[in-house]
Amino acid sequence: MIYSTNIWYEGHVRLIYSMLLVLVIGLFFSEKYAEKIIWFMIILAGLALFYVTRASPRPYVDVWVYCQIAVDALMNGVNPYTITYPQLYSGMTSSLYYPPPIIYWMLPWKILFGDVRVALVAAFCLTSILIYLIARNAGTSARFSAAFAIGFLVFPPVPFIIEQSWTDPFSVFLLACGALCLQLRKPYLAAITLSLFLCSKQYTVLTLPILAFLVLKTFEPKIVVRIIFIGFLTAVLVFGPFLLWDAKALLYKIVPIVNPALLTPYKTNNFLSISAWFGRRTEQLPVWLPLVFYLVAILVLRLKTKLLHISKTIEPSSFFAM
């Protein structure tokens, strides 16, 4: 669902999704058909997501407004972490809380198309390609690999995420890049992509335990040390320009320890999560509950690895699929 203001574009989105449905059905009849049609399907799905940005050209959403302003500021040589942003909602502070990587990623797409959300469309499409490649490298048939990739693009909330300008698709794209690099045993590329992933959102730090586990299972200790060094250097290059520009402003806007106001819970009943789904029907579940589920899942996977005695042969990228 999107809040469309342009019926012409909305009609095209519906038509494209109808065409995709027909093509998806064909995936399960021929392996060669799946290998040939997957790229066309990704382009078609990407076009539908691009149309979302035209069907709802100016959403009244803080993320879209702030990212548009931030990218414009950077294009004009102004620090986006020091300027004042319009207050769209009562009772909420107006500021840019997103780390620099997403601003870097949105910059060229904003120049080309005038809308930062096109960067998110690109992230979704590239992630779909990476899912296909990861599945194929793991030995999955072309049919099911294509189904996984297209299933990611046509997942019902995707158009809504694009319209609302949520930046999480960029983090998912970087995580998929890291997964492919681990699968192909490319340590230095893995260091760069996973470091960028950890720099892309505040909550990505919660993935450090499983990322450390995967890196340690994939590479020798000597290589791991190099990965840590390259990852740290990548983070320095990402944050360095803004730290030199105005370190206090940057840290205050994106680091919860420096600015405790960042820890103030939002109205989480509006989130696309299981706890929010329960919260809209009964009492809101604690925001820390998904973290508990995540830690339990890591523990179960670790115990399963030991019990099945496959710790030396397990494919690291399969954890990302799980």
Side-chain angles (χ1 to χ4, degrees):
M1 182 193 75
I2 62 172
Y3 299 105
S4 175
T5 59
N6 192 315
I7 302 301
W8 188 86
Y9 279 115
E10 185 179 356
H12 280 66
V13 171
R14 295 175 187 271
L15 176 62
I16 292 173
Y17 276 121
S18 300
M19 294 170 61
L20 277 172
L21 177 61
V22 175
L23 294 174
V24 167
I25 294 174
L27 286 178
F28 298 95
F29 292 96
S30 171
E31 187 78 1
K32 292 183 178 179
Y33 169 84
E35 291 179 343
K36 294 178 180 178
I37 204 66
I38 175 62
W39 309 111
F40 175 69
M41 294 177 69
I42 290 175
I43 293 172
L44 203 58
L47 183 60
L49 296 179
F50 176 77
Y51 273 155
V52 169
T53 66
R54 298 305 184 250
S56 179
R58 298 185 62 82
Y60 192 79
V61 180
D62 55 350
V63 185
W64 182 77
V65 173
Y66 296 169
C67 287
Q68 288 278 114
I69 294 174
V71 173
D72 285 338
L74 192 59
M75 289 169 57
N76 289 288
V78 179
N79 189 338
Y81 294 100
T82 59
I83 61 178
T84 302
Y85 292 83
Q87 185 165 348
L88 302 185
Y89 315 121
S90 60
M92 290 181 61
T93 57
S94 55
S95 188
L96 182 71
Y97 298 123
Y98 304 104
I102 186 61
I103 306 300
Y104 295 146
W105 175 250
M106 287 177 167
L107 180 61
W109 302 99
K110 173 68 165 59
I111 294 173
L112 291 174
F113 298 97
D115 193 326
V116 295
R117 293 175 296 174
V118 180
L120 306 179
V121 174
F124 265 116
C125 293
L126 292 172
T127 303
S128 179
I129 293 173
L130 291 169
I131 290 173
Y132 177 77
L133 295 176
I134 290 170
R136 291 294 285 149
N137 290 336
T140 308
S141 68
R143 290 180 297 168
F144 284 101
S145 298
F148 293 149
I150 295 301
F152 174 76
L153 278 181
V154 301
F155 193 57
V158 169
F160 181 76
I161 292 171
I162 293 293
E163 188 210 20
Q164 299 293 295
S165 314
W166 294 350
T167 61
D168 307 84
F170 177 59
S171 299
V172 176
F173 162 61
L174 292 173
L175 182 61
C177 288
L180 182 62
C181 292
L182 286 175
Q183 186 185 53
L184 298 177
R185 303 297 197 276
K186 302 291 185 181
Y188 305 133
L189 288 177
I192 294 171
T193 53
L194 292 178
S195 177
L196 289 173
F197 165 71
L198 291 171
C199 295
S200 64
K201 292 281 281 189
Q202 286 85 346
Y203 61 68
T204 55
V205 68
L206 299 176
T207 65
L208 269 175
I210 194 168
L211 291 180
F213 169 74
L214 293 174
V215 170
L216 289 170
K217 297 298 293 184
T218 306
F219 302 109
E220 299 177 357
K222 181 173 64 174
I223 300 297
V224 171
V225 173
R226 296 177 185 175
I227 289 175
I228 294 173
F229 174 76
I230 294 173
F232 176 76
L233 183 60
T234 301
V236 170
L237 292 175
V238 167
F239 289 102
F242 287 100
L243 288 172
L244 294 174
W245 205 344
D246 192 329
K248 183 178 179 181
L250 176 67
L251 296 176
Y252 185 79
K253 295 296 177 63
I254 69 171
V255 180
I257 297 176
V258 178
N259 181 10
L262 295 176
L263 299 174
T264 303
Y266 288 92
K267 189 178 179 181
T268 51
N269 281 0
N270 293 330
F271 289 1
L272 293 178
S273 65
I274 295 176
S275 58
W277 182 83
F278 276 104
R280 288 193 291 268
R281 285 155 180 77
T282 55
E283 273 189 43
Q284 182 173 310
L285 296 179
V287 294
W288 48 262
L289 194 58
L291 175 61
V292 174
F293 291 149
Y294 166 73
L295 295 176
V296 169
I298 293 177
L299 180 61
V300 169
L301 287 172
R302 182 59 179 151
L303 290 175
K304 181 180 178 182
T305 302
K306 285 186 175 181
L307 292 174
L308 295 178
H309 303 287
I310 58 173
S311 60
K312 293 185 178 180
T313 59
I314 192 167
E315 182 62 56
S317 61
S318 64
F319 278 90
F320 291 94
M322 294 179 186

